[in-house]
Amino acid sequence: MSKVEDFLTPEEEQEIVEAIRVAEKNTSGEIRVHIEKTTSIDAYDRAMEVFHLLKMDKTELKNGVLIYLAVKDKHFVICGDKGINDLVQNDFWDCTRDVIVNHFKEGNFKQGLIDGVLRAGKQLQKYFPYQDGDTNELTNDISKG
């Protein structure tokens, strides 16, 4: 088994998917998690590639957020689309990153992702509150590379 397959159990993955669903209930923002074993390029650059491959840049309000992990490399990136970045300060994702890092340091990857997703949802809600008629533009499933 690769590191990606060992990283989370199917049950843990479903808990993270549920956290995404809950986080998106109060925001029009879209949150995705992508996990892969390693990357041969800079983690941020790879996260941006994945962001585009997952068509996260195609949301109506440009308010997608990706939590990207390269498991073997021990790298993760949180990146948001133009609609978010145009509105928020540069340190907007620092609190979300810190929540994830604290759990990851303890080896609690599932809870780090759940808490990070829920925190991202709360952050998005400030700028992109849920509106009547909002649709889920992107799947909540965890993608893997």
Side-chain angles (χ1 to χ4, degrees):
M1 257 195 230
S2 73
K3 291 274 189 187
V4 173
E5 292 164 332
D6 292 336
F7 189 65
L8 298 167
T9 67
E11 295 79 16
E12 289 172 328
E13 287 185 18
Q14 284 309 304
E15 289 181 61
I16 293 164
V17 169
E18 176 62 12
I20 293 169
R21 189 192 66 74
V22 168
E24 290 181 351
K25 274 193 342 188
N26 297 312
T27 179
S28 62
E30 296 287 336
I31 302 168
R32 296 288 315 265
V33 173
H34 180 84
I35 302 170
E36 57 190 21
K37 182 177 180 179
T38 187
T39 178
S40 60
I41 62 174
D42 175 76
Y44 178 81
D45 292 341
R46 177 61 183 149
M48 293 309 298
E49 281 183 359
V50 170
F51 194 92
H52 295 291
L53 287 170
L54 296 176
K55 300 189 181 334
M56 295 187 69
D57 55 337
K58 303 295 183 193
T59 61
E60 182 180 350
L61 298 175
K62 303 290 184 203
N63 59 354
V65 174
L66 175 65
I67 299 175
Y68 166 85
L69 290 91
V71 177
K72 183 178 177 187
D73 302 335
K74 297 183 180 177
H75 290 297
F76 84 92
V77 175
I78 303 170
C79 53
D81 205 352
K82 182 177 178 3
I84 298 167
N85 293 336
D86 285 351
L87 296 175
V88 303
Q89 297 175 346
N90 290 337
D91 63 351
F92 182 72
W93 295 115
D94 289 354
C95 58
T96 302
R97 179 202 63 219
D98 293 345
V99 164
I100 295 171
V101 166
N102 289 335
H103 283 293
F104 280 15
K105 284 180 181 177
E106 301 296 320
N108 196 347
F109 303 110
K110 175 199 78 168
Q111 198 60 49
L113 289 170
I114 288 172
D115 289 356
V117 163
L118 294 174
R119 178 71 184 187
K122 285 181 183 173
Q123 294 287 87
L124 285 171
Q125 184 180 357
K126 295 174 190 173
Y127 295 92
F128 299 97
Y130 180 84
Q131 305 287 327
D132 283 339
D134 277 346
T135 59
N136 191 9
E137 296 178 77
L138 302 171
T139 179
N140 296 340
D141 294 339
I142 295 172
S143 62
K144 297 178 183 173

